[in-house]
Amino acid sequence: MLRERLSESLKDAMRAKNARRVSTLRLIIATLKDRDIAKRSEGDSNGISDDEVLRMLATMIRQRRESIAAYEQGGRIDLAEAEQEEISIIEDFLPTQLTEEEVVAAIREAIAEIGAAGLKDMGRTMAVLKSRYPGRMDFGTASARVKSELAAQAE
């Protein structure tokens, strides 16, 4: 379903002659095809799942945020703005992000569910979150929150 939305959006962007959107969507589709090919070479003929596509899109956003920081440090505001435009295009295909309160609740629920007792359980906790909320939370931020929750629990 997500693949169809990407293709339809690319066609619409081409009709509208929206160059930034066309180039961003082509990049997403090319990355998706690369990952499908890699998955097929592992013996999976279906390619990557929608959850993996969501994780791929979240990774693309994270990469662009890192680029924005580098461009702003280098004084290249024009390139930072272009990256921000790409982020907003990519975000169109992600489900709505969890609020801060929802993230905290999800983390506490995951910790309680697996019976996490300290920092040694951080990997298991993050695995639960990543499987349940692909594309719906920033796992870099969530990781720091999980670490603080587990540290507080260990005390």
Side-chain angles (χ1 to χ4, degrees), residues 118-137:
L119 291 176
K120 65 180 175 41
D121 295 315
M122 185 158 171
R124 288 181 33 217
T125 306
M126 288 303 296
V128 168
L129 293 172
K130 286 180 179 181
S131 70
R132 287 192 186 152
Y133 304 102
R136 296 192 60 210
M137 84 170 52

Side-chain angles (χ1 to χ4, degrees), residues 18-123:
N18 184 337
R20 168 73 61 204
R21 191 165 179 87
V22 168
S23 67
T24 302
L25 290 170
R26 282 183 174 157
L27 180 65
I28 293 169
I29 292 169
T31 304
L32 178 57
K33 286 181 182 180
D34 285 345
R35 294 206 179 175
D36 279 343
I37 291 168
K39 191 81 166 180
R40 285 187 196 117
S41 69
E42 296 170 3
D44 187 350
S45 62
N46 296 327
I48 64 175
S49 68
D50 274 356
D51 284 348
E52 290 170 306
V53 173
L54 292 175
R55 282 194 288 277
M56 177 193 79
L57 293 174
T59 298
M60 293 176 85
I61 288 174
R62 182 183 43 78
Q63 291 168 338
R64 276 152 186 76
R65 286 194 176 123
E66 291 169 0
S67 295
I68 287 172
Y71 289 144
E72 287 174 345
Q73 271 186 331
R76 296 297 311 264
I77 303 304
D78 56 327
L79 295 176
E81 289 172 355
E83 293 289 316
Q84 186 58 50
E85 288 175 26
E86 288 186 10
I87 287 173
S88 63
I89 292 167
I90 297 169
E91 284 176 338
D92 288 346
F93 299 95
L94 290 175
T96 52
Q97 297 292 299
L98 296 176
T99 64
E100 191 71 26
E101 296 81 29
E102 291 171 328
V103 170
V104 171
I107 289 170
R108 290 181 179 157
E109 180 183 320
I111 289 171
E113 182 182 310
I114 64 170
L119 291 176
K120 65 180 175 41
D121 295 315
M122 185 158 171

